[in-house]
Amino acid sequence: MHLENDQTLEEVRVAPPRAIPDISLGTKIIRNVISGGLRYVFVAPIPFIMTPLILSKIGVRGYGTWAVFLAINGLTSLADLGLVGTLSKFVAEYHAQRDLVAMRRVLNSGLALFLSISAFIGIALWTLAPRLQGLLFRGSPTPSAELVLLFRLFLVVIAANILNLLFSSVTSGLQRLDLTNLISAVNVFLNALFSASLLLAGFGLRGLVYGYAASGVITVAVYLVLVRRLLPNIVLNPLQFDRQEAQKMFSFSFRLYITQAAVAVHNQIEKVFLAMLIGVTPVGWYDIASDISLKLRNAISFVLSPVLPAASELSALRDEHRMRELYYRTHKYLALIGIPAVCFAAGVSRRFVELWLGPQLEIIAFPLSVLLIVSFANLVTGPGFYIFAGQGNLAPCINSAVLGITVNLVLSLGLIYKYGFSGAVLGTSAALILAAGYFLSVFHRSTGYPFLPLLRGAYLKPLLCSFLALAVILALRPMDDLSWLGLATMAAIFGSVYCIVILLSRFFDPYDWSKMESFFPGIRLMRKLWGVG
């Protein structure tokens, strides 16, 4: 093992305070959740601005072509072989144990593996570009030679995406999801800024590729600087690859990989089937609907982002009591934020699509509502999945993932062949719900955690309060003729009614209030004025 200058093994193993600060687990989780929420506020408007702009500049078929590019980029995340979650878990464990020797081994081994994966994927896709062009871009308005060229340029985006997965797993494992969320938000903003500028300058589809490539390279550079500052005692060097550490990582990652593959399949496979069987136009329709549902799902899932590193830390400390508390409170906050968001979005989806994209794309409104609900139902498995992953118990996750992938591949292919666009929505919905139901039953049977108290304590009040708030806005005025201002007003009324009713329902317990007050002292005064808590 290589030591810097005159460092002893003990000096390297025990991190100085500036490298690994002593912050309580609860504080780290709250900080990470808040940063995820702020990221959502920052990036949420961007797709709603970019989608109409792209449609106006390159048309529906052009948008469908771009959606195929993005689907391929999404599917290449399968190439990491489960190493993203594995690195996050191992970094969290070594961080909890303050073992920087092991941290150095795992990071350098991970860097070498990700660089190798990125190179392999790049060479393979460069070679296959002409064949993929003929297979996946049926009905595209872009000439074949131009598509091959753009696809090869897009490999920069894919390579940057793979490397950014590596670095984001490091910051997540260090439980600095505030930084992960910040960089992710900047990446989304730069994608939009560069792409919009080039679209307006007349570059068309090529401008989208250029914009995403520039943003990806900048994000990789920012992550390199950040990881160096977070871990000043560790020098990243892929030549210090450790074979034993890599074998240890792969023994866990291959099991995690199946569950990760399920996510990529559910998110992208319908677009590939539609492109192969129907053409690029329904790919564009499906991409818009699924993209909105996934963006809302990701916005809600910021509640889950701290769970894997926290569960890994608690597993290393063998703290079962706090592990169980982590599970129930994660569900509680997931329901608090997710249920009203999904209820409102599904309730106004038709009018939203009409205002956003025009009546000609009203076809996506109902599929959007279905995908919003189904995506949240699948998200409910998140707390249990991350706790099992943190404990290294991936067998139930694998079984659920295999079930979901099998149902999705078989059902979606048949339904898309018979029903086209509608079949894609039906196939993925059935697969997600079936896999989620199976996993939840296995998790609660395995852990012994009671299920009905979870439903009553975490989900009942947010569901009832959301239905009440939705009934109020629907009773105030029909949605059919609302303007953007009217829709925003209804959102404000819905949110106000929901917040008031959920506060009066005594959903929050003393622990919740104490944590909120530690970050926002003004809440204590509000509680006294309102007489809640």
Side-chain angles (χ1 to χ4, degrees):
M1 181 183 65
H2 174 70
L3 298 179
E4 301 293 334
N5 300 328
D6 297 323
Q7 287 180 300
T8 66
L9 178 63
E10 186 62 26
E11 287 172 337
V12 173
R13 184 174 297 278
V14 180
R18 69 189 182 99
I20 303 181
D22 188 14
I23 302 174
S24 73
L25 180 61
T27 299
K28 286 185 281 189
I29 291 175
I30 297 295
R31 178 185 65 191
N32 292 337
V33 168
I34 291 173
S35 70
L38 292 176
R39 175 193 177 276
Y40 170 67
V41 171
F42 180 76
V43 305
I46 292 176
F48 302 116
I49 297 171
M50 287 300 299
T51 300
L53 176 62
I54 296 172
L55 285 169
S56 68
K57 293 299 180 181
I58 62 176
V60 174
R61 290 196 299 157
Y63 187 93
T65 303
W66 176 239
V68 175
F69 275 85
L70 295 180
I72 294 170
N73 185 42
L75 286 173
T76 55
S77 63
L78 293 173
D80 81 334
L81 304 178
L83 291 171
V84 172
T86 301
L87 272 173
S88 182
K89 170 181 167 57
F90 283 12
V91 168
E93 290 180 352
Y94 296 150
H95 177 248
Q97 297 163 357
R98 297 178 181 251
D99 190 344
L100 290 187
V101 172
M103 185 87 79
R104 173 181 290 165
R105 287 199 309 268
V106 76
L107 291 184
N108 286 328
S109 300
L111 179 59
L113 291 171
F114 271 86
L115 287 173
S116 300
I117 291 169
S118 182
F120 174 80
I121 293 296
I123 293 170
L125 290 179
W126 180 284
T127 305
L128 293 173
R131 289 175 176 258
L132 291 173
Q133 179 275 320
L135 181 65
L136 298 177
F137 294 95
R138 295 174 58 188
S140 174
T142 307
S144 299
E146 176 76 358
L147 278 174
V148 172
L149 174 62
L150 291 180
F151 186 79
R152 285 173 170 167
L153 289 173
F154 194 72
L155 296 179
V156 175
V157 180
I158 293 174
N161 177 57
I162 292 173
L163 292 177
N164 285 327
L165 289 174
L166 161 70
F167 294 123
S168 66
S169 69
V170 175
T171 53
S172 298
L174 293 173
Q175 300 207 48
R176 291 307 310 268
L177 285 168
D178 53 331
L179 298 176
T180 307
N181 287 320
L182 175 61
I183 295 176
S184 175
V186 170
N187 181 45
V188 173
F189 176 76
L190 291 178
N191 279 338
L193 178 63
F194 295 154
S195 300
S197 300
L198 292 168
L199 280 173
L200 293 171
F203 281 82
L205 184 61
R206 185 177 287 227
L208 292 171
V209 175
Y210 288 167
Y212 270 63
S215 175
V217 171
I218 292 172
T219 306
V220 170
V222 171
Y223 260 127
L224 281 169
V225 174
L226 177 62
V227 170
R228 177 60 179 164
R229 290 181 65 87
L230 288 174
L231 298 169
N233 290 340
I234 295 178
V235 177
L236 293 178
N237 184 356
L239 298 179
Q240 293 184 6
F241 173 80
D242 188 287
R243 184 175 178 180
Q244 289 184 338
E245 191 69 32
Q247 290 175 340
K248 180 181 177 183
M249 291 163 61
F250 276 126
S251 68
F252 182 84
S253 71
F254 280 133
R255 292 175 289 157
L256 186 64
Y257 177 67
I258 297 177
T259 61
Q260 180 181 316
V263 174
V265 167
H266 292 312
N267 290 347
Q268 309 297 340
I269 198 62
E270 287 81 10
K271 302 173 194 176
V272 175
F273 285 163
L274 284 169
M276 293 171 61
L277 298 176
I278 312 296
V280 296
T281 298
V283 175
W285 296 342
Y286 188 86
D287 182 75
I288 294 171
S290 67
D291 186 59
I292 297 172
S293 67
L294 286 174
K295 287 215 168 23
L296 183 60
R297 182 186 191 277
N298 293 337
I300 298 168
S301 68
F302 74 81
V303 176
L304 302 178
S305 52
V307 178
L308 176 58
S312 299
E313 181 174 325
L314 292 176
S315 179
L317 299 174
R318 302 183 184 279
D319 193 335
E320 173 58 28
H321 173 73
R322 284 203 292 167
M323 186 78 80
R324 182 168 176 162
E325 184 76 5
L326 174 67
Y327 179 72
Y328 280 100
R329 291 202 176 274
T330 303
H331 271 290
K332 185 176 182 178
Y333 304 143
L334 182 64
L336 172 70
I337 296 169
I339 289 178
V342 170
C343 283
F344 179 78
V348 303
S349 61
R350 180 180 175 184
R351 186 55 184 162
F352 171 77
V353 170
E354 290 176 347
L355 288 171
W356 182 35
L357 302 174
Q360 70 276 10
L361 284 176
E362 188 183 324
I363 187 174
I364 73 170
F366 182 71
L368 170 60
S369 297
V370 173
L371 291 174
L372 286 168
I373 296 169
V374 170
S375 293
F376 180 73
N378 181 257
L379 193 62
V380 170
T381 63
F385 168 78
Y386 285 125
I387 284 176
F388 269 162
Q391 294 172 334
N393 178 21
L394 287 176
C397 308
I398 291 172
N399 293 337
S400 174
V402 170
L403 175 65
I405 290 174
T406 303
V407 172
N408 201 348
L409 289 174
V410 174
L411 201 57
S412 291
L413 185 60
L415 290 173
I416 289 172
Y417 180 78
K418 186 170 180 61
Y419 299 108
F421 175 61
S422 300
V425 178
L426 290 172
T428 193
S429 298
L432 286 171
I433 290 174
L434 183 61
Y438 170 80
F439 178 82
L440 287 172
S441 65
V442 170
F443 180 87
H444 283 270
R445 195 164 58 246
S446 172
T447 61
Y449 295 175
F451 184 65
L452 289 179
L454 171 67
L455 291 180
R456 289 194 300 266
Y459 289 92
L460 182 60
K461 289 181 179 179
L463 190 63
L464 294 176
C465 294
S466 297
F467 284 165
L468 177 61
L470 191 60
V472 168
I473 64 169
L474 291 176
L476 286 175
R477 185 172 177 182
M479 295 288 171
D480 295 342
D481 60 347
L482 284 178
S483 63
W484 279 118
L485 179 60
L487 201 61
T489 302
M490 288 300 175
I493 294 172
F494 176 91
S496 300
V497 172
Y498 176 78
C499 289
I500 292 171
V501 177
I502 201 72
L503 285 172
L504 295 178
S505 72
R506 299 190 178 276
F507 181 73
F508 299 113
D509 59 28
Y511 176 86
D512 300 324
W513 287 115
S514 67
K515 286 300 179 183
M516 286 189 284
E517 289 171 1
S518 67
F519 281 86
F520 306 105
I523 289 179
R524 184 174 297 139
L525 177 61
M526 184 205 73
R527 289 178 64 195
K528 291 180 179 179
L529 293 174
W530 280 73
V532 297

